[in-house]
Amino acid sequence: MSSQRFPATEDSINGAKEKTAAEAIPILYGILEDPSSSSEAIKIKEVAITDLSDRLREEGRAEELQSLLTKLRPFFSLIPKAKTAKLVRGIIDSVAKIPGTSDLQISLCKEIVQWTRSEKRTFLRQRIEARLAALLMENKEYSEALNLLSGLIKEVRRLDDKLLLVEIDLLESKLHFALRNLPKAKAALTAARTAANAVYVPPAQQGTIDLQSGILHAEEKDYKTAYSYFFEAFEAFNTLGDPQAIYGLKYMLLCKIMVNQAEDVAGIISSPKVGLQYKGPELDAMKAIADAHSKRSLKLFETALQNFKTQLDEDPIVHRHLSALYDTLQEQNLCRLIEPFSRVEIAHIAELIELPSHQVEKKLSQMILDKKFAGTLDQGAGCLIIFDDPKTDAIYPATLETISNMEKVVDSLYARSAKIMA
């Protein structure tokens, strides 16, 4: 900290507020160095800590925020635990707002967890551990996040802290979904909903629950239910001005495309509520996919995937569903193109569908193995040979039905004869 001290007074705080971040930071450090521990000085210092964390965030000085937390530990022993928790979480929030600090946030949270254990600050530790688990999940360190959560859930359930339990169960659901364990993801989400019903949940948290519900329903191909959840999430985030609103809207449009209602996408995007506020690459990407789907054009589909790689390929939710949609669209187009032929060159099909020959050959091979149509590939001649659909002989099922009926007759006669003999 700065060697120059400033008195912990209203004048010092107001003087710092009028200056730029670079000029205010030494003053705020100086206020924190004031040895006074009167109630008035403590209140001023609390304000100074909040202001200092904001100014350091503006300057992008994440390491200083980390060292600030360590230096403030003696001060935290002078104020109530609830205020300490608020200030600590505020500083962590400031670090989180600085781009590219995920590793620093993880080390910071681990450091705070160790301190809270030694100080027996259970309330704060549980919330920091929940945050640490979320950071580990974002960093794709799934096993460590899951181990941390499993112990934390048991502890919080014993304390019956419903609000924290909602947060942890929701986090567990996201973690299991990332690990592709859908049954456990659904069970954790159900637990989060149950806990949420017993306590007031902030609108942002409720929006997150709805968003996760939509994602899980979409994974089960129940796109209509998923759409309604995404709509609820979008409404909640939109009201709060939360940046997550764009994801709710994006996934709503995805559901429309997946249920073959791509023509509705343009109408939703151009609506007054959405059009101006959320206009940008996320919506442009979904509009391009909707246009490609409406025209059944694989070329437009691939162009959209290339032009909007960040919005489509790097979003795991969208990428997974669009991959399935692309495969379906490709199969439908190929079946339509080969229908008139009994023998056709693969190069000709590739030319018609406007895709590379090797990609078309690979897809045709897969479709034959999946029994989408009867045929074989003559790789020497570079041709596809399509067989007529084999007609099943009706005599076999008719014979089996006759035998089954005869068996029933014999059983009935046997039962009657047994009664007569008795």
Side-chain angles (χ1 to χ4, degrees):
M1 291 185 188
S2 169
S3 57
Q4 186 181 359
R5 286 181 181 171
F6 287 87
T9 62
E10 289 276 359
D11 291 339
S12 299
I13 285 287
N14 293 333
K17 282 180 180 177
E18 291 169 3
K19 297 185 180 294
T20 63
E23 293 169 336
I25 287 168
I27 297 171
L28 294 168
Y29 270 132
I31 292 169
L32 295 179
E33 284 194 347
D34 186 339
S36 174
S37 57
S38 66
S39 60
E40 188 62 33
I42 285 173
K43 283 180 185 177
I44 295 295
K45 286 180 183 180
E46 286 172 15
V47 175
I49 290 167
T50 306
D51 286 354
L52 181 57
S53 59
D54 288 340
R55 296 305 184 111
L56 289 171
R57 173 183 55 77
E58 287 170 22
E59 293 285 297
R61 289 151 72 168
E63 289 81 6
E64 277 194 48
L65 282 164
Q66 184 178 17
S67 61
L68 176 64
L69 268 175
T70 308
K71 289 169 183 173
L72 286 172
R73 285 178 189 177
F75 174 72
F76 289 149
S77 63
L78 302 174
I79 60 175
K81 288 184 177 181
K83 282 190 178 178
T84 300
K86 185 180 177 183
L87 290 171
V88 169
R89 289 164 73 187
I91 293 171
I92 296 172
D93 287 340
S94 295
V95 176
K97 288 172 184 173
I98 301 172
T101 57
S102 59
D103 290 337
L104 181 68
Q105 287 177 65
I106 289 170
S107 67
L108 179 59
C109 286
K110 285 179 178 177
E111 192 181 302
I112 295 167
V113 166
Q114 287 179 349
W115 173 67
T116 51
R117 282 187 189 281
S118 64
E119 292 284 318
K120 294 184 172 56
R121 293 174 182 263
T122 307
F123 176 86
L124 178 57
R125 175 181 57 77
Q126 289 169 346
R127 278 149 183 79
I128 300 300
E129 282 184 337
R131 182 151 196 162
L132 176 58
L135 288 166
L136 290 168
M137 185 184 73
E138 286 173 17
N139 235 27
K140 298 187 178 178
E141 295 175 37
Y142 298 127
S143 57
E144 192 178 345
L146 204 55
N147 290 338
L148 183 61
L149 275 184
S150 58
L152 187 58
I153 286 171
K154 290 174 187 173
E155 190 180 341
V156 174
R157 282 208 174 115
R158 279 200 305 272
L159 294 171
D160 202 31
D161 186 341
K162 295 288 186 188
L163 199 56
L164 182 57
L165 198 57
V166 171
E167 185 183 334
I168 295 169
D169 283 331
L170 188 55
L171 187 57
E172 188 188 15
S173 177
K174 290 178 182 178
L175 192 54
H176 283 304
F177 179 74
L179 292 167
R180 312 299 304 132
N181 190 336
L182 207 58
K184 284 193 175 181
K186 287 171 67 179
L189 183 63
T190 303
R193 283 193 169 282
T194 305
N197 287 336
V199 68
Y200 170 75
V201 176
Q205 187 81 300
Q206 187 60 53
T208 310
I209 292 171
D210 289 333
L211 193 67
Q212 182 67 7
S213 299
I215 289 168
L216 294 183
H217 277 285
E219 192 65 22
E220 294 181 318
K221 313 295 183 200
D222 184 2
Y223 293 110
K224 287 187 178 179
T225 308
Y227 179 87
S228 64
Y229 276 119
F230 289 139
F231 179 77
E232 290 294 332
F234 169 70
E235 287 288 311
F237 292 137
N238 183 52
T239 306
L240 295 168
D242 193 305
Q244 286 191 84
I246 189 66
Y247 293 106
L249 180 57
K250 184 179 176 182
Y251 299 153
M252 279 165 59
L253 300 178
L254 176 67
C255 289
K256 284 290 183 184
I257 294 167
M258 296 305 291
V259 294
N260 297 320
Q261 293 177 1
E263 63 279 359
D264 292 351
V265 169
I268 294 171
I269 291 173
S270 61
S271 66
K273 190 174 184 178
V274 172
L276 296 172
Q277 194 173 352
Y278 297 101
K279 191 177 181 182
E282 299 285 354
L283 298 192
D284 291 342
M286 298 314 294
K287 190 173 186 299
I289 289 292
D291 289 343
H293 186 268
S294 298
K295 293 171 184 174
R296 303 285 176 193
S297 170
L298 288 171
K299 190 174 182 182
L300 287 176
F301 204 106
E302 288 200 332
T303 304
L305 290 174
Q306 287 169 4
N307 292 345
F308 299 99
K309 190 176 177 66
T310 306
Q311 290 76 24
L312 302 176
D313 265 5
E314 293 178 17
D315 185 327
I317 310 299
V318 173
H319 175 71
R320 191 176 295 115
H321 293 290
L322 289 188
S323 296
L325 182 66
Y326 181 81
D327 284 345
T328 305
L329 199 58
Q330 196 175 35
E331 284 176 8
Q332 288 172 352
N333 279 5
L334 284 171
C335 286
R336 180 172 54 80
L337 289 172
I338 65 175
E339 194 175 0
F341 303 102
S342 58
R343 182 185 178 94
V344 60
E345 288 184 355
I346 294 169
H348 180 61
I349 299 171
E351 189 181 330
L352 290 173
I353 204 169
E354 297 179 309
L355 288 174
S357 293
H358 67 88
Q359 189 177 330
V360 172
E361 185 178 338
K362 186 179 177 183
K363 188 62 187 176
L364 288 169
S365 173
Q366 184 188 329
M367 288 171 71
I368 291 167
L369 290 172
D370 291 343
K371 297 185 179 179
K372 302 285 182 179
F373 67 90
T376 186
L377 288 169
D378 184 346
Q379 289 182 311
C383 288
L384 170 70
I385 301 164
I386 300 105
F387 305 140
D388 292 332
D389 290 333
K391 292 180 180 176
T392 54
D393 198 332
I395 193 167
Y396 295 112
T399 305
L400 287 169
E401 190 180 351
T402 304
I403 292 168
S404 175
N405 289 335
M406 285 177 67
E407 186 183 2
K408 288 176 185 174
V409 170
V410 171
D411 286 346
S412 178
L413 289 170
Y414 177 78
R416 285 188 181 185
S417 64
K419 284 181 183 177
I420 293 167
M421 293 296 289

